[in-house]
Amino acid sequence: MGQANSAEHPTPPLAKLRRLGAGRRLQNIELTQQGLSIGSDLRHRLVLGAEGILPFHAEILWQNSGFVIQAKSAAAEVWVNQVQIVAPHGYPLQDGDLIQLGPVTFEFQRLGDRSPREKRLTDSRLPGTLVAPNYAPTILQVNGPQWTQDFPLQGDQIYLGCDRTCDIVVTEPGVADRHLLLTREGATYRVKNLQAPQTLQHQRDPVQDLRLQDGMTLSIPPAVTLIYQVLPSVDPIEREESLDLKNRVQLTLGRDPHNQTVLDHPLVSRFHAEIYLKDGDWQVQDLHSSNGTFVNNERIVQPRQLRPGDTIRVGPYQFSFNFDETLVQQDDTGNLRLDALKLRQSVGNKLQILDEVSLAILPREFVAIVGVSGAGKSTLLNALNGYQPASQGRVCVNGQDLYKNFNAYRMELGYVPQDDIIHQDLQVIQALDFAARLRLPADVSRQERSRQVQAVLKDLELHHRQTVPVKQLSGGQRKRVSIGVELLTQPSLFFLDEATSGLDPGTETQMMRLLRRLADQGRTVVLVTHATKNVMLCDKVVFLAKGGRVAFYGPPAEALDYFGVQDFDEIYLKIEEESTPEQWKQRFLRSDPYQRHIRDRQQNLEDQLSHRTQAKSWLKLPSANSKSGLRQWWILSQRNLTLLLQDKASLLVILAIAPLLGLLDFAMWRKDLFDPAQGDPAQSFTILFVSVLIAVIVGSLATMREIVKEAEIYRRERMIGLQIFPYIFSKLWLCVVLALYEALIFLITKLISVDFPISGTEGFGLYLTLFLATLGGMVMGLLVSSLSPNQSVAPLLTILFLVPQITFAGSILPLRMLGPVGHALSQVTVSRWAFEAMVTLSNVGEAVAEDPCWQTPESVRETWSDQQKTDCRCLGANLFKSCRFPGLWKQYDPAVDQPEPPKPEDPGSPPPVPETAQVLLSGSYAEQVEDYSNRVDRYQTQLDRWQEDFRLWKENRGKAIASAEELLERSYRNQGQSYQISVWGHWLRLLALMVGMIGLLAWNQKRKDTL
């Protein structure tokens, strides 16, 4: 409903506008020489809140003793006597003229002159685009190869064909003289094909007779498309309302009908805030709402006393508290103005990418940012929406500093970056539903959320594709889903970066029309684009020269005149070739478009430029208590699980990789690897290290892309309140589940393929160690993913993290051989602590570790005699009996257990020489001598044999013991520190390392907020 200003005119009225329309109250608006501004903005003298009315729609001026009407932009629907008026051309008004502004019709009447003049009919002045001149509840949009026209459906029977007698004339190939008949049927129409069945199709099926529904698309091959649309009602929009607090003790605000003031908006919680009287003062408190209550743009946690002049913000609603105990309620939905005040952005000290950019964008305006490559278009867009604040200057929303008050407005900002902000593996409806659960208040029921999602699907014409995975959609449809994610909260400021990039011309046109419709529905839309084919649909266009200098800002039609060209593409060449960027900037600062579209609009904001502060220091992302962290974790966990289950190929690989790698154990290792008789000590340590290393590698490779692949999604969700730790732990719980599974498979295959000398308790310890190693690798992979600038770098960075897991674990290169830096790195190596725990739990060096003799320094042990080693379990002759170590018995020789060969009995002394010659010459003495000589010979022979036997016995025995001791010594020297460590302590070290990596991960994610 239009609203006329009641102030007295300094000059008498010369004419008036008389509003027409069935069932509407007649309204007269007097016209003087001061003219009349018209639009949906509240500052106009004639405010129209109907659908399709732009913030600055039209203006009636007094020129040359007469009134002239002028459209304020090419997108504004202004018709006089069914002739469309195209900006910037004016049209002289005469008495009786019928003026159509969108769906609203007025009759122009000169005072004192009531004879209607003859109405004139001419063609539209906008090439290639025609707009319906009359409002009707239903329209049929006809799309040809190079044109579009909306036809209002008002009759009971409507013929469409190429014959001039048809109600809708379409002269395109494939259209017959009388091709189809539209017949009214209740509130809709039924279409009947008057030609062959294949000449009219719906979803590629032939149509003969069909009842039409809103959004239904028909086609007439080869190149004509028909879209049936039901227009929304054009009820007036209430902007302000005064609430009297006198005679009240409390006032509740929220979405629920039981509140005293009902605020029906998806950003408002069911019971959002309460204003109550306490000790004679009015207090306001937040009722644990999802999106917060703000007093003077500061979020409140505790009740706050209200003072006159305070403003309360609940979603898009603002309440001003006055001295007379009244609240003035203002609904900012679709009524947010955006101002950029001398924005500057530079890289380093020299490279300037934004140079004193000032813009004034009014509510519901559709603004395109175009320019040459490297002109800073995306940088400007990100500065306007707070995504990457400018280093200097201000961005104001309805006069409030956006950077300082970002929390108050963040949910009213919609932003679609160049990359899609949706997961490709989710179905369309799943993507929107998860986004709605994250963005909408927690008290929104499933039914309410479903209705909101379905409304967005219908608005974007994606209802028939809702169960299709996003990755199977066309480029334009994927971009629509990204837009739909943002529309769930009904933002009033909408920013899009290259939304039409890579689309074919037809899809690009559809996307631009969609954005035009979104602006007309009540959003301020700012778009970065390279395509200028449909730029006339915008209200304003920003042309940037290199270095972020504004070469022009104003209506698209004015741009052509300003640059003196016939086509927008020619502007690029002029900006590149005719002058320097600085000259284009200075020329625009001296121009009339700058004065009208920026300077005049920002007169009241000039004083805000007096304080230049670094804008980045003002930006505050959502506080930790803005939304329940537990609820966010639950939603994100469900989304991650859904993504995993729907990506069948990735799920199959994840589940199959552990069994496949486990099968290699049967080919790599001998079953008796740990056996003292047949085992191999080197291989025993190798299998333990390889087990840990594979667990770490598999874990890190599984998660190295998990965060970087959704970087844009994370950054966008961070802006709307996503907390860091719920996001991280939503990844971690799945890592825990997968690590439990993979560690179990790794352990089972090893226990089957190799005989481990362990008990059940030690087997569980091995499982827990493999689990921690796998989980540690996954946490490391998440950290790598967070540090990676893109998915291509992630594998290379993963290698950089994995190499220390090999070199500093203490297996390939013993820890004793590492220098100070190597020792420091080994302290933060996941594989080291897991490997040492595995060595202890496998009992591979248990006997050595429990032998007190091995606690003596090596230099002392080397000096011990066999006698001193008598009490040692794993030293001396006892080691083959009491020491169990892989492959130790291979060094065994039977001599170890054989007694020392007995020494031959000494033949004694020779017989004594007789005293007498008679005895000496007797035969008995000779016999004694001969017997003694024989005994000496036998003794010498036995002694020689004994010496050889003793030598062999001692050599074999000593060699066996020495070899066994050397084997134990070598292993002890390299791995002895891990024979009997505190397994619990190592598990705690692994957990500490994971906590540290999670902390680094959280810090790095937080750091991205300021990049």
Side-chain angles (χ1 to χ4, degrees), residues 16 143 515 574 793 998 1004:
K16 70 178 182 178
N143 298 276
L515 299 178
K574 291 183 71 73
V793 175
I998 292 171
N1004 191 59

Side-chain angles (χ1 to χ4, degrees), residues 643-657:
L643 285 167
L644 180 62
L645 294 177
Q646 292 196 175
D647 188 358
K648 299 294 191 301
S650 296
L651 180 61
L652 180 62
V653 170
I654 290 174
L655 295 179
I657 192 169

Side-chain angles (χ1 to χ4, degrees), residues 401-422:
D401 194 303
L402 174 63
Y403 298 161
K404 285 184 177 179
N405 307 301
F406 186 77
N407 270 340
Y409 288 100
R410 61 185 171 83
M411 295 303 294
E412 294 188 63
L413 305 178
Y415 175 53
V416 180
Q418 293 186 32
D419 297 330
D420 292 329
I421 51 175
I422 45 178

Side-chain angles (χ1 to χ4, degrees), residues 396-639:
C396 296
V397 177
N398 281 2
Q400 300 292 324
D401 194 303
L402 174 63
Y403 298 161
K404 285 184 177 179
N405 307 301
F406 186 77
N407 270 340
Y409 288 100
R410 61 185 171 83
M411 295 303 294
E412 294 188 63
L413 305 178
Y415 175 53
V416 180
Q418 293 186 32
D419 297 330
D420 292 329
I421 51 175
I422 45 178
H423 291 89
Q424 301 290 312
D425 292 311
L426 291 177
Q427 296 177 0
V428 172
I429 193 169
Q430 289 175 330
L432 293 178
D433 184 66
F434 280 120
R437 293 171 65 182
L438 278 174
R439 296 165 185 245
L440 299 181
D443 54 18
V444 172
S445 66
R446 179 179 298 180
Q447 292 76 15
E448 290 177 308
R449 189 174 70 247
S450 178
R451 286 196 296 270
Q452 185 74 2
V453 169
Q454 291 298 325
V456 169
L457 287 171
K458 181 178 179 181
D459 201 28
L460 297 177
E461 300 176 359
L462 288 172
H463 192 275
H464 63 292
R465 304 283 284 172
Q466 59 180 312
T467 59
V468 177
V470 173
K471 61 186 177 183
Q472 296 181 14
L473 299 176
S474 65
Q477 289 174 332
R478 282 199 303 271
K479 189 62 68 175
R480 287 185 180 224
V481 178
S482 294
I483 292 174
V485 167
E486 299 299 314
L487 292 182
L488 290 167
T489 57
Q490 299 179 9
S492 296
L493 287 173
F494 207 60
F495 301 89
L496 303 101
D497 194 355
E498 299 287 2
T500 60
S501 178
L503 303 180
D504 61 84
T507 306
E508 176 206 327
T509 300
Q510 292 177 352
M511 185 64 65
M512 291 294 288
R513 288 176 183 164
L514 170 64
L515 299 178
R516 175 70 266 173
R517 179 155 52 89
L518 294 179
D520 294 341
Q521 289 174 353
R523 297 173 185 87
T524 304
V525 179
V526 183
L527 166 72
V528 169
T529 182
H530 285 287
T532 57
K533 176 180 178 292
N534 296 287
V535 76
M536 290 295 289
L537 291 172
C538 302
D539 299 298
K540 297 287 191 300
V541 60
V542 183
F543 273 97
L544 289 181
K546 284 189 176 179
R549 297 173 174 87
V550 179
F552 175 80
Y553 175 64
E558 288 187 22
L560 297 176
D561 295 336
Y562 182 83
F563 289 101
V565 297
Q566 299 296 320
D567 187 87
F568 281 102
D569 292 342
E570 299 178 39
I571 298 177
Y572 289 97
L573 296 176
K574 291 183 71 73
I575 291 178
E576 285 275 24
E577 298 175 358
E578 291 194 3
S579 301
T580 66
E582 181 63 26
Q583 289 173 334
W584 282 115
K585 170 189 170 184
Q586 295 302 326
R587 177 189 171 188
F588 176 65
L589 292 176
R590 296 189 299 267
S591 69
D592 179 65
Y594 171 76
Q595 183 68 34
R596 288 187 290 111
H597 302 306
I598 298 179
R599 184 76 176 177
D600 291 347
R601 291 183 175 186
Q602 293 184 342
Q603 286 183 351
N604 296 329
L605 297 174
E606 291 281 331
D607 57 343
Q608 297 192 30
L609 293 175
S610 57
H611 302 288
R612 296 279 183 95
T613 309
Q614 292 295 320
K616 289 187 177 181
S617 64
W618 300 337
L619 183 60
K620 295 181 180 179
L621 284 171
S623 54
N625 61 353
S626 61
K627 280 183 169 60
S628 167
L630 182 61
R631 178 173 178 268
Q632 288 187 350
W633 171 82
W634 177 244
I635 295 171
L636 294 173
S637 296
Q638 288 180 299
R639 185 173 71 181

Side-chain angles (χ1 to χ4, degrees), residues 172-187:
E172 291 289 345
V175 180
D177 291 344
R178 289 206 166 198
H179 200 109
L180 55 87
L181 173 64
L182 295 167
T183 306
R184 189 190 300 276
E185 191 173 278

Side-chain angles (χ1 to χ4, degrees), residues 879-925:
L879 60 79
F880 291 109
K881 297 178 182 180
S882 57
C883 190
R884 184 180 180 88
F885 193 82
L888 181 65
W889 295 354
K890 289 182 179 180
Q891 314 302 322
Y892 176 76
D893 191 279
V896 175
D897 294 325
Q898 292 174 355
E900 180 180 334
K903 189 174 183 180
E905 186 178 353
D906 192 280
S909 300
V913 178
E915 296 179 355
T916 63
Q918 183 180 2
V919 177
L920 179 65
L921 296 174
S922 65
S924 61
Y925 177 74

Side-chain angles (χ1 to χ4, degrees), residues 150 201 207 223 501 510 633 643 647 744-745 766 901 913 964 969:
D150 293 347
Q201 298 177 5
V207 172
S501 178
Q510 292 177 352
W633 171 82
L643 285 167
D647 188 358
L744 181 62
I745 300 299
L766 289 176
V913 178
E969 186 69 54

Side-chain angles (χ1 to χ4, degrees), residues 184-455:
R184 189 190 300 276
E185 191 173 278
T188 185
Y189 279 82
R190 178 175 291 276
V191 61
K192 183 177 181 181
N193 186 7
L194 304 179
Q195 304 300 320
Q198 292 293 340
T199 60
L200 182 65
Q201 298 177 5
H202 172 59
Q203 295 181 354
R204 297 186 178 180
D205 295 328
V207 172
Q208 201 63 38
D209 191 281
L210 182 65
R211 181 181 173 87
L212 297 177
Q213 297 179 7
D214 184 29
M216 186 173 287
T217 301
L218 306 173
S219 61
I220 300 176
V224 176
T225 302
L226 313 174
I227 303 176
Y228 178 77
Q229 296 178 343
V230 179
L231 298 181
S233 60
V234 289
D235 294 333
I237 300 176
E238 295 293 336
R239 292 291 183 183
E240 291 189 359
E241 179 182 349
S242 181
L243 302 174
D244 194 347
L245 296 180
K246 295 175 183 177
N247 302 321
R248 294 177 182 259
V249 294
Q250 71 168 161
L251 179 70
T252 58
L253 311 171
R255 200 178 70 252
D256 193 277
H258 293 91
N259 287 283
Q260 293 162 298
T261 297
V262 179
L263 307 176
D264 188 14
H265 194 277
L267 295 180
V268 180
S269 294
R270 193 174 298 279
F271 294 93
H272 197 108
E274 179 184 16
I275 301 172
Y276 60 93
L277 192 62
K278 180 180 180 181
D279 299 331
D281 294 321
W282 287 100
Q283 309 271 338
V284 60
Q285 70 172 350
D286 182 72
L287 300 179
H288 306 289
S289 65
S290 294
N291 294 308
T293 302
F294 297 82
V295 175
N296 300 328
N297 289 324
E298 179 183 349
R299 181 170 184 146
I300 61 172
V301 178
Q302 302 295 330
R304 176 79 66 87
Q305 180 179 340
L306 288 176
R307 302 182 183 278
D310 284 350
T311 60
I312 306 168
R313 191 165 192 87
V314 175
Y317 300 92
Q318 183 165 292
F319 300 85
S320 299
F321 183 70
N322 297 327
F323 283 96
D324 58 356
E325 296 187 359
T326 60
L327 283 174
V328 178
Q329 173 185 339
Q330 178 175 336
D331 181 6
D332 285 343
T333 304
N335 192 38
L336 291 184
R337 166 179 172 157
L338 186 68
D339 287 277
L341 305 172
K342 296 189 176 181
L343 300 181
R344 296 180 65 90
Q345 185 73 286
S346 57
V347 177
N349 297 323
K350 296 182 178 180
L351 183 59
Q352 192 82 17
I353 52 180
L354 285 183
D355 187 3
E356 299 282 339
V357 176
S358 294
L359 300 172
I361 303 173
L362 300 182
R364 302 192 180 193
E365 281 192 335
F366 181 15
V367 177
I369 301 176
V370 298
V372 298
S373 297
K377 300 183 291 297
S378 295
T379 302
L380 174 58
L381 186 78
N382 292 333
L384 292 175
N385 61 28
Y387 197 56
Q388 291 178 327
S391 55
Q392 291 184 359
R394 303 283 180 92
V395 175
C396 296
V397 177
N398 281 2
Q400 300 292 324
D401 194 303
L402 174 63
Y403 298 161
K404 285 184 177 179
N405 307 301
F406 186 77
N407 270 340
Y409 288 100
R410 61 185 171 83
M411 295 303 294
E412 294 188 63
L413 305 178
Y415 175 53
V416 180
Q418 293 186 32
D419 297 330
D420 292 329
I421 51 175
I422 45 178
H423 291 89
Q424 301 290 312
D425 292 311
L426 291 177
Q427 296 177 0
V428 172
I429 193 169
Q430 289 175 330
L432 293 178
D433 184 66
F434 280 120
R437 293 171 65 182
L438 278 174
R439 296 165 185 245
L440 299 181
D443 54 18
V444 172
S445 66
R446 179 179 298 180
Q447 292 76 15
E448 290 177 308
R449 189 174 70 247
S450 178
R451 286 196 296 270
Q452 185 74 2
V453 169
Q454 291 298 325

